[in-house]
């Protein structure tokens, strides 16, 4: 295989959760048996120079191919991933990666050979000429809370009216809080009812769940970006719409599986700032996508 078929770039963001991020990095290299993975971490935690250096040294000591970048500010989720991607282009300039994995740090790999299976899956589709129009691969993401699969996030494109409605809801803080709580209950019940359902076939979908998605080389080759202009939320729609505009498909691939521990970093009751981010992101989707 050539380099473009062998190597995987994994991007993640650390925000006030050093222990989880470091444990995640260890799990990546324990799973990466063939030495395929290169990792770039964006440290979004605001802290002293001493503490920032300590985290960087500890993270980079975990594996030969780990690099950390920090602007000593919180760049948001995709803002951090984009910074990590730019750092990786400096640290690993000679490698044309077959894919770029965007991952939360509360992810567990469903197989001790996950990265081998991922690369083999991509290689199989490459040899069968099935990857030319695929931009993103979405694995099964099993919720640790319910056991249900969180992918596909959207099988079909949501209507523009949905984003108009939600942006209006999130413009009023009490309504935003109520909607978030009701959504959690609804998703819990829905996911419980989906436990045990087995997905067997690959399926073209609209949007992948943002906790773990695999972007193929073609996504970036055609001009796909990570530079989402909002701070948080609706990143999946941003990626899905880029795929659509570039003539690419998102593929749900149930042969690949990870577990999402779903650490509630934003809390049960969202703050005013979180609800504000929700409103901004849904307005962005309403105004930019049809």
């Amino acid at each position: 295989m050539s380099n473009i078929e062998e190597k995987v770039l994994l991007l993640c963001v650390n925000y006030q959760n050093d222990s989880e991020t470091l444990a995640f990095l260890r799990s990546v290299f324990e799973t990466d048996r063939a030495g395929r993975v290169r990792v770039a971490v964006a440290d979004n935690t605001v802290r002293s120079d001493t503490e920032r250096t300590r985290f960087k040294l500890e993270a980079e000591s975990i594996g030969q191919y780990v690099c950390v970048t920090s602007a000593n500010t919180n760049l948001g989720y995709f803002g951090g991933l984009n910074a990590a991607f730019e750092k990786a282009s400096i640290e690993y300039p000679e490698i044309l990666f077959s894919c770029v994995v965007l991952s939360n740090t509360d992810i567990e790999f469903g197989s001790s050979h996950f990265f081998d299976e991922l690369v083999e899956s991509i290689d199989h589709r490459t040899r069968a000429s099935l990857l030319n129009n695929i931009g993103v691969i979405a694995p099964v993401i099993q919720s640790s809370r319910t056991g249900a699969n969180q992918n596909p996030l959207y099988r079909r494109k949501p209507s523009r009216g949905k984003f108009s409605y939600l942006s209006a809801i999130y413009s009023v803080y009490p309504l935003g809080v109520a909607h978030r709580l009701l959504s959690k209950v609804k998703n819990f019940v829905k996911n419980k009812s989906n436990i045990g359902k087995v997905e067997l076939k690959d399926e073209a979908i609209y949007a992948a769940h943002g906790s773990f998605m695999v972007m193929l080389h073609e996504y970036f080759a055609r001009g796909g970006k990570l530079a989402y202009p909002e701070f948080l939320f609706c990143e999946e729609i941003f990626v899905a719409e880029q795929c659509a505009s570039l003539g690419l498909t998102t593929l749900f691939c149930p042969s690949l599986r990870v577990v999402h521990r779903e650490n509630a970093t934003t809390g049960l009751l969202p703050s005013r700032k979180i609800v504000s981010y929700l409103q901004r992101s849904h307005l962005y989707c309403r105004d930019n996508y049809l």
Side-chain angles (χ1 to χ4, degrees):
M1 288 185 183
S2 64
N3 278 346
I4 196 170
E5 295 171 326
E6 291 180 338
K7 305 303 181 187
V8 174
L9 174 61
L10 186 145
L11 309 176
C12 63
V13 175
N14 176 58
Y15 178 64
Q16 297 184 350
N17 207 346
D18 291 9
S19 59
E20 178 182 89
T21 300
L22 295 171
F24 173 69
L25 294 178
R26 293 186 191 99
S27 74
V28 168
F29 289 106
E30 288 169 2
T31 308
D32 178 31
R33 300 185 174 215
R36 305 179 189 276
V37 182
R38 308 293 184 264
V39 179
V41 183
D43 184 14
N44 275 3
T45 306
V46 179
R47 48 180 149 194
S48 68
D49 290 346
T50 300
E51 285 298 301
R52 194 161 63 254
T53 300
R54 179 202 58 77
F55 172 77
K56 176 180 170 67
L57 291 174
E58 192 166 357
E60 292 182 347
S61 71
I62 290 174
Q64 180 181 358
Y65 299 111
V66 182
C67 62
V68 177
T69 184
S70 172
N72 204 28
T73 188
N74 186 357
L75 299 172
Y77 182 42
F78 259 45
L81 292 174
N82 191 49
F85 185 67
E86 291 176 350
K87 177 70 171 179
S89 69
I90 296 171
E91 293 293 321
Y92 316 120
E94 76 287 357
I95 301 174
L96 290 174
F97 293 99
S98 64
C99 65
V100 177
V101 174
L102 313 182
S103 180
N104 282 16
T105 56
D106 57 356
I107 289 291
E108 297 175 358
F109 299 102
S111 164
S112 60
H113 300 275
F114 177 84
F115 292 106
D116 292 338
E117 293 167 0
L118 173 61
V119 170
E120 287 168 7
S121 178
I122 293 172
D123 182 50
H124 168 72
R125 289 171 174 81
T126 299
R127 284 186 277 107
S129 299
L130 297 175
L131 282 186
N132 292 343
N133 294 313
I134 298 175
V136 175
I137 288 178
V140 168
I141 301 177
Q142 183 181 1
S143 166
S144 63
R145 291 179 181 174
T146 67
N149 175 25
Q150 296 178 312
N151 260 327
L153 180 66
Y154 289 108
R155 275 190 160 86
R156 291 169 294 278
K157 182 175 181 174
S159 68
R160 188 171 183 270
K162 175 173 183 173
F163 295 106
S164 296
Y165 167 75
L166 289 175
S167 62
I169 289 290
Y170 291 129
S171 69
V172 181
Y173 179 65
L175 289 178
V177 171
H179 184 271
R180 290 290 280 180
L181 291 174
L182 288 173
S183 294
K184 288 179 185 292
V185 172
K186 179 182 176 181
N187 287 337
F188 182 82
V189 172
K190 178 182 176 182
N191 289 338
K192 278 290 187 183
S193 68
N194 287 333
I195 293 176
K197 292 185 178 179
V198 179
E199 305 278 1
L200 297 176
K201 295 181 180 180
D202 289 359
E203 177 186 353
I205 62 174
Y206 172 69
H209 196 278
S211 61
F212 192 96
M213 63 172 67
V214 181
M215 294 178 159
L216 300 187
H217 176 74
E218 195 68 16
Y219 177 87
F220 297 101
R222 295 195 189 185
K225 306 293 184 185
L226 298 180
Y228 180 48
E230 295 301 328
F231 186 78
L232 199 61
F233 301 114
C234 296
E235 297 91 348
E236 298 98 338
I237 305 298
F238 172 71
V239 171
E241 284 297 304
Q242 284 195 88
C243 282
S245 68
L246 297 170
L248 295 170
T249 299
T250 295
L251 184 71
F252 172 49
C253 185
S255 62
L256 299 169
R257 186 179 75 87
V258 298
V259 176
H260 186 196
R261 293 199 305 274
E262 291 194 277
N263 292 343
T265 55
T266 58
L268 181 62
L269 294 176
S271 66
R272 288 184 180 274
K273 183 177 287 188
I274 290 296
V275 172
S276 175
Y277 291 146
L278 283 160
Q279 185 204 17
R280 285 177 56 95
S281 294
H282 284 84
L283 278 173
Y284 179 83
C285 292
R286 184 199 71 182
D287 295 340
N288 288 275
Y289 307 132
L290 299 177

